[in-house]
Amino acid sequence: MSSQPIITATCSAPVNIAVIKYWGKRDTKLILPTNDSLSVTLDQDHLRSVTTARADISFQKGDRLWLNGVEEEIGTEGRLRTCIEECRKVRKGMEAKDGSLAKISGLPLHICSENNFPTAAGLASSASGFAALVATLAALYGLKPTLNSSDLSKFARQGSGSACRSLFGGFVAWQSGTEASGDDSLAIEVAPREHWPTLQALICVVSDAKKGTPSTAGMQRTVATSPLLQHRIKDVVPARMEAMRKAIKDHDFDSFADLTMADSNNFHACALDTAPPIFYMNDVSRAIVQLVEEFNRASVAEGKGKRIAYTYDAGPNAVLYAEEKEMKTILAVIRHYFPNTDFDDTFNLLGAGANASHRGAQEAVPLPTNEVPKGFNENVIPVQEPGAVRRLIHTRVGDGPRVLHTWGDGKGTAGDVKESLLGEDGIPLRLQRAKRA
Amino acid sequence: MSSQPIITATCSAPVNIAVIKYWGKRDTKLILPTNDSLSVTLDQDHLRSVTTARADISFQKGDRLWLNGVEEEIGTEGRLRTCIEECRKVRKGMEAKDGSLAKISGLPLHICSENNFPTAAGLASSASGFAALVATLAALYGLKPTLNSSDLSKFARQGSGSACRSLFGGFVAWQSGTEASGDDSLAIEVAPREHWPTLQALICVVSDAKKGTPSTAGMQRTVATSPLLQHRIKDVVPARMEAMRKAIKDHDFDSFADLTMADSNNFHACALDTAPPIFYMNDVSRAIVQLVEEFNRASVAEGKGKRIAYTYDAGPNAVLYAEEKEMKTILAVIRHYFPNTDFDDTFNLLGAGANASHRGAQEAVPLPTNEVPKGFNENVIPVQEPGAVRRLIHTRVGDGPRVLHTWGDGKGTAGDVKESLLGEDGIPLRLQRAKRA
């Protein structure tokens, strides 16, 4: 038994999907963006990264990190190291100022991180992953209230740019800032989830044989070669950020949809304007766009305004935002044109019970002709090949990082120890289970 | 027999494919563009529109026009009427000035126009078609030398914007001009075909189930909604026009390719930035881009510079430009990755005789591994579905409109009467043949 305090903390952090996109860095080391961006945080009840960190003098090999059960090299520099050392440095300063604080900043760390969504879901896990890392170290080191979430977002930002936005729930802006140090490049809350709790998302996971250009390399190629990107940065995004804040403030879905779709297309236009060009959307992505545009066109013609917004990150998957009351119809429309998709029915839209699992080959789903807007052109796209949309994930706007469990430092236990990813020996439980099996 | 002079003229005009794209009108009636553009004229030996016009007092139903054997309504306004009346007006003025000229400007016209390439080739026929119409009326009315080809290009421009560029061979600029009248919006020759006679083109006709947005409607939607287009117009195109003129002047294929590909992507980026977005390229188009980019990358790495340039108009078809000496390799590469394509071997690259026809299902074409650049990544794209590229058309830079046949007005016959599309009765021969059959 060690005589040192043993400290462990476990936090979860959410995925966020930008509606005003981040594309381009002005500083690649500090990860300072060329423009502001704005995102919706998705619900951790459905998609999350969880991280457990433990500080222990007995960890003789120094700092170690496991990601989804595989040990990763932290190294002496790089993004993981930066995030860890930024947090450690603050703790060290606190310990120097306050002699009553346990001296844990110098102890080796074991860190274990997992995502509850498979890589196969096609969702970037770096945002939720780095947010969970920073939230966990903040809990471990007791960095709050010395630092607030915006302060912590600067640490997460240096792990993965968009991770800074996962430090908040609801609607979040990443202010690009102007300082060379990056000190003003941070996330702020635009509105909490409670402001617009009926906003939901349907993630359409699109099959794609080909791995696209990694976003880190892609965005710098765009910065270097696209003449249009400069215009996006200077003239397009600033006005859209203002308009988007207003749309969210007013619960104005029509404007929210307009801006979200326009900015997704604007970002992909800049990717296409890159030399060599970068393509993320494929023919299935484009079919979803055409379907949504036709649905909205007919809805606007009926006087009901736009009812669906699409957005695409650096890949072929669509994220559709809509009001809760629209989702049943939208789901049916998507399942009609994109047959044989996997769907876990989070909110029991299909009436077979919450979280009922609908897998692969299914009966053809009829178009809900009574629910689609009058004048909707059913032939806007043909019914696609089975499995073109591989999986649907239904979720909603969510909250920021959660502290799931802490233990030690004289404070005893809080939260649910079952959430911890590390065993008492500081080794991932997942690996111990695998060994026993 | 009529006592009036009977006049008939037949001309052909070429297709042109822009390397700096036209997209957007500042005046939709006069067809004045938002920016300059620049094109390569393709060889009429392979792709052409032919028009015969005849003026005859006996045509009691007035002006009539047949397009590919189908009579079209000329109407009292619209593009066809504008082109015809512009030419007629000039003739009328000439007749008023010079009493010795036959008074034919007031006679009814029969006009017959045909393309030697099927609509299925996916090539826009409006440019060559309107250029052939104007060239034919200019021959009929003897408008040269009163008017030069740039003057005539202004008439063709009012039929279809890019038609103005088909009034010249070789390398042609369409100057957008600044006057509200459109009087300075015309085509000029940048260089004749003889300047760079080894420049060739391989048109890859891509199968596409879906008809895209018509370009006339599409470009005005881009003008109305794309923030990026304004940047393209003001800052991107002017510099590229200059650089492209220089590349052509210097026979600098590397720069020519760079500019051609960048401008194609820039145009499609603006189409994507439109609300709702416009997609012309599909997954097969994108596969061709990726293949060409990889070929060029490996070639540049070898110190040989870029050797292929792609460009895409308002559709999924690729036009590949390359030097004559590269075409055999390029053809083999395309046929390897895009199996089962139709190919008429214009220049006998495959050794089965000039114009030998290679149809549909074929033996797999091996990659010419000794001819592709060292370090070329064979797995850049998978071998595509058979028929993904439906047809290949091999051609080269060509000349401007040709006068094929004229007859009457006291000048007797010139050229080959077999080229005339109208019979002695002023009815399309094609219809007469159909009737006899």
Side-chain angles (χ1 to χ4, degrees):
Chain A
M1 294 294 285
S2 158
S3 62
Q4 295 287 330
I6 295 169
I7 298 289
T8 180
T10 301
C11 292
S12 64
V15 168
N16 74 77
I17 301 287
V19 289
I20 304 292
K21 299 294 190 193
Y22 153 53
W23 195 252
K25 298 182 181 73
R26 60 185 163 89
D27 183 315
T28 53
K29 174 77 181 86
L30 291 171
I31 311 191
L32 304 178
T34 51
N35 56 261
D36 292 356
S37 56
L38 199 153
S39 58
V40 178
T41 296
L42 301 184
D43 196 335
Q44 282 162 90
D45 286 352
H46 312 131
L47 299 166
R48 66 176 194 174
S49 292
V50 175
T51 299
T52 298
R54 181 163 165 172
D56 196 317
I57 189 74
S58 71
F59 293 160
Q60 298 186 0
K61 291 189 184 170
D63 298 338
R64 296 175 73 184
L65 182 142
W66 292 263
L67 180 57
N68 295 322
V70 178
E71 183 160 7
E72 302 274 321
E73 191 60 54
I74 299 177
T76 55
E77 47 186 15
R79 296 170 169 208
L80 282 169
R81 176 56 68 196
T82 302
C83 282
I84 294 167
E85 295 310 320
E86 288 278 6
C87 294
R88 201 170 236 158
K89 193 169 65 184
V90 177
R91 171 73 189 189
K92 198 169 186 177
M94 290 164 64
E95 291 171 3
K97 261 197 219 160
D98 179 354
S100 74
L101 283 178
K103 302 277 183 296
I104 59 171
S105 63
L107 301 182
L109 291 168
H110 277 195
I111 298 166
C112 181
S113 189
E114 295 190 0
N115 309 313
N116 78 332
F117 49 96
T119 308
L123 294 165
S125 58
S126 61
S128 53
F130 276 103
L133 173 66
V134 169
T136 301
L137 292 176
L140 179 76
Y141 287 147
L143 302 188
K144 284 190 175 184
T146 306
L147 301 184
N148 62 27
S149 294
S150 288
D151 296 325
L152 294 177
S153 78
K154 291 188 269 183
F155 300 162
R157 187 202 75 220
Q158 295 175 66
S160 173
S162 57
C164 72
R165 295 187 310 238
S166 280
L167 263 299
F168 289 92
F171 303 83
V172 188
W174 176 9
Q175 300 182 155
S176 62
T178 55
E179 291 178 25
S181 67
D183 206 47
D184 57 349
S185 186
L186 46 78
I188 57 166
E189 184 189 88
V190 171
R193 75 186 294 189
E194 294 76 18
H195 170 72
W196 194 351
T198 53
L199 190 74
Q200 298 200 335
L202 186 68
I203 302 169
C204 307
V205 182
V206 168
S207 298
D208 201 26
K210 230 181 105 47
K211 184 88 188 111
T213 311
S215 61
T216 300
M219 67 172 73
Q220 287 321 102
R221 211 160 87 204
T222 304
V223 170
T225 65
S226 166
L228 298 183
L229 181 71
Q230 297 310 315
H231 188 61
R232 166 172 170 76
I233 293 166
K234 270 186 292 190
D235 296 328
V236 177
V237 169
R240 281 195 184 149
M241 284 293 292
E242 272 325 290
M244 184 60 91
R245 281 174 203 268
K246 184 171 182 324
I248 292 168
K249 182 168 166 289
D250 299 344
H251 305 90
D252 174 0
F253 187 83
D254 195 68
S255 298
F256 175 86
D258 253 348
L259 292 161
T260 295
M261 296 187 288
D263 205 68
S264 175
N265 291 328
N266 191 271
F267 147 50
H268 288 278
C270 291
L272 175 52
D273 190 47
T274 302
I278 300 168
F279 304 104
Y280 288 121
M281 296 166 74
N282 64 20
D283 283 353
V284 177
S285 316
R286 301 194 297 148
I288 297 171
V289 166
Q290 288 165 324
L291 181 61
V292 170
E293 292 283 0
E294 172 57 16
F295 189 99
N296 282 338
R297 184 204 60 72
S299 180
V300 168
E302 272 191 323
K304 290 188 184 164
K306 292 179 177 163
R307 285 150 66 189
I308 318 176
Y310 56 74
T311 189
Y312 294 80
D313 280 344
N317 299 336
V319 175
L320 305 184
Y321 288 115
E323 287 279 8
E324 180 178 8
K325 65 180 161 45
E326 307 289 350
M327 273 295 182
K328 194 175 170 185
T329 301
I330 293 168
L331 176 76
V333 170
I334 293 290
R335 291 174 82 227
H336 170 72
Y337 286 100
F338 301 92
N340 291 24
T341 173
D342 286 351
F343 175 58
D344 292 308
D345 193 359
T346 330
F347 299 108
N348 194 21
L349 292 184
L350 301 181
N355 296 311
S357 181
H358 304 264
R359 299 281 121 203
Q362 298 140 4
E363 295 292 304
V365 174
L367 189 69
T369 41
N370 291 333
E371 296 167 39
V372 298
K374 225 178 293 174
F376 173 78
N377 172 14
E378 293 188 20
N379 300 315
V380 57
I381 56 168
V383 170
Q384 307 282 301
E385 292 294 308
V389 168
R390 198 150 41 83
R391 183 177 170 181
L392 293 170
I393 300 168
H394 185 185
T395 184
R396 63 186 163 195
V397 57
D399 56 348
R402 301 175 186 167
V403 179
L404 303 177
H405 174 249
T406 55
W407 180 60
D409 196 14
K411 291 177 200 153
T413 285
D416 184 355
V417 68
K418 287 202 292 285
E419 296 280 10
S420 178
L421 302 175
L422 290 170
E424 281 185 29
D425 56 357
I427 297 297
L429 287 163
R430 176 175 167 144
L431 296 183
Q432 296 177 7
R433 281 192 299 266
K435 214 182 288 176
R436 278 199 300 271
Chain B
M1 293 294 282
S2 158
S3 62
Q4 297 285 331
I6 296 170
I7 298 289
T8 180
T10 302
C11 291
S12 64
V15 168
N16 75 77
I17 301 289
V19 289
I20 304 291
K21 299 294 189 192
Y22 154 52
W23 194 252
K25 299 181 179 74
R26 60 186 164 90
D27 183 314
T28 53
K29 173 78 182 83
L30 292 170
I31 311 190
L32 304 178
T34 51
N35 56 262
D36 291 356
S37 55
L38 199 153
S39 58
V40 178
T41 296
L42 301 184
D43 196 335
Q44 281 162 91
D45 287 353
H46 311 132
L47 298 166
R48 67 175 194 174
S49 293
V50 175
T51 300
T52 297
R54 179 165 167 170
D56 195 316
I57 188 76
S58 72
F59 293 159
Q60 298 185 358
K61 291 191 185 168
D63 298 338
R64 296 176 71 185
L65 183 141
W66 293 264
L67 180 57
N68 294 322
V70 177
E71 184 161 6
E72 303 272 322
E73 191 60 53
I74 298 175
T76 56
E77 48 186 15
R79 296 171 170 205
L80 282 168
R81 177 57 68 195
T82 303
C83 281
I84 293 167
E85 295 310 320
E86 288 278 7
C87 294
R88 202 169 237 158
K89 193 169 66 184
V90 178
R91 173 70 189 189
K92 199 168 186 178
M94 291 164 63
E95 290 169 4
K97 262 195 219 162
D98 180 353
S100 74
L101 283 178
K103 300 280 184 292
I104 59 169
S105 63
L107 300 182
L109 291 167
H110 277 195
I111 299 165
C112 182
S113 190
E114 295 189 1
N115 310 313
N116 79 333
F117 49 94
T119 308
L123 293 166
S125 57
S126 62
S128 53
F130 277 103
L133 174 65
V134 169
T136 300
L137 293 176
L140 179 77
Y141 287 146
L143 303 188
K144 286 189 175 184
T146 306
L147 300 184
N148 62 26
S149 294
S150 287
D151 296 325
L152 295 177
S153 78
K154 290 187 269 184
F155 301 162
R157 186 203 76 220
Q158 294 175 67
S160 174
S162 56
C164 72
R165 296 187 310 239
S166 279
L167 264 298
F168 290 91
F171 303 82
V172 188
W174 176 7
Q175 300 182 155
S176 63
T178 55
E179 290 178 25
S181 68
D183 206 48
D184 58 349
S185 186
L186 46 78
I188 57 169
E189 184 189 88
V190 170
R193 74 186 294 190
E194 294 75 19
H195 170 73
W196 195 350
T198 53
L199 190 73
Q200 298 199 334
L202 186 67
I203 302 169
C204 306
V205 181
V206 169
S207 298
D208 201 26
K210 232 181 105 44
K211 183 88 187 109
T213 311
S215 62
T216 300
M219 67 173 74
Q220 287 321 101
R221 211 161 85 204
T222 305
V223 170
T225 64
S226 165
L228 298 182
L229 182 70
Q230 297 310 315
H231 189 60
R232 164 171 172 77
I233 293 167
K234 271 185 291 189
D235 296 329
V236 176
V237 168
R240 281 196 184 149
M241 284 294 293
E242 271 327 289
M244 184 60 90
R245 282 173 203 268
K246 186 172 183 320
I248 292 167
K249 182 169 167 288
D250 298 345
H251 305 90
D252 175 0
F253 187 83
D254 194 69
S255 299
F256 174 87
D258 252 349
L259 291 162
T260 296
M261 296 187 289
D263 205 68
S264 175
N265 291 327
N266 192 272
F267 147 51
H268 289 277
C270 291
L272 175 52
D273 190 47
T274 301
I278 300 168
F279 304 104
Y280 289 121
M281 298 167 74
N282 64 21
D283 284 353
V284 176
S285 316
R286 301 194 296 150
I288 296 171
V289 166
Q290 288 164 324
L291 181 61
V292 169
E293 292 283 0
E294 171 57 17
F295 189 99
N296 282 338
R297 184 205 60 73
S299 180
V300 168
E302 270 191 325
K304 289 188 185 166
K306 292 179 177 164
R307 286 150 66 187
I308 318 177
Y310 56 75
T311 188
Y312 294 79
D313 280 344
N317 299 336
V319 175
L320 305 184
Y321 287 114
E323 288 279 8
E324 181 178 7
K325 64 178 161 46
E326 307 290 351
M327 273 296 182
K328 196 175 168 185
T329 301
I330 293 168
L331 177 75
V333 170
I334 293 289
R335 291 175 81 229
H336 171 71
Y337 286 100
F338 301 92
N340 291 23
T341 174
D342 286 351
F343 176 57
D344 291 310
D345 193 0
T346 330
F347 300 106
N348 195 19
L349 291 183
L350 301 181
N355 297 313
S357 180
H358 304 264
R359 301 280 121 203
Q362 298 140 6
E363 295 291 306
V365 174
L367 189 70
T369 41
N370 291 333
E371 296 166 39
V372 298
K374 224 178 296 175
F376 172 78
N377 171 15
E378 294 187 21
N379 299 315
V380 57
I381 55 168
V383 170
Q384 305 281 303
E385 291 294 308
V389 169
R390 198 149 42 84
R391 184 177 170 182
L392 294 170
I393 301 168
H394 185 184
T395 185
R396 62 185 163 198
V397 59
D399 56 349
R402 300 174 187 168
V403 179
L404 302 178
H405 174 251
T406 54
W407 179 60
D409 197 15
K411 291 177 199 152
T413 286
D416 184 353
V417 69
K418 288 202 291 288
E419 296 279 11
S420 178
L421 302 175
L422 291 170
E424 284 183 27
D425 56 356
I427 297 297
L429 288 163
R430 176 175 167 146
L431 295 184
Q432 297 177 7
R433 280 192 299 267
K435 215 183 285 178
R436 279 199 300 272

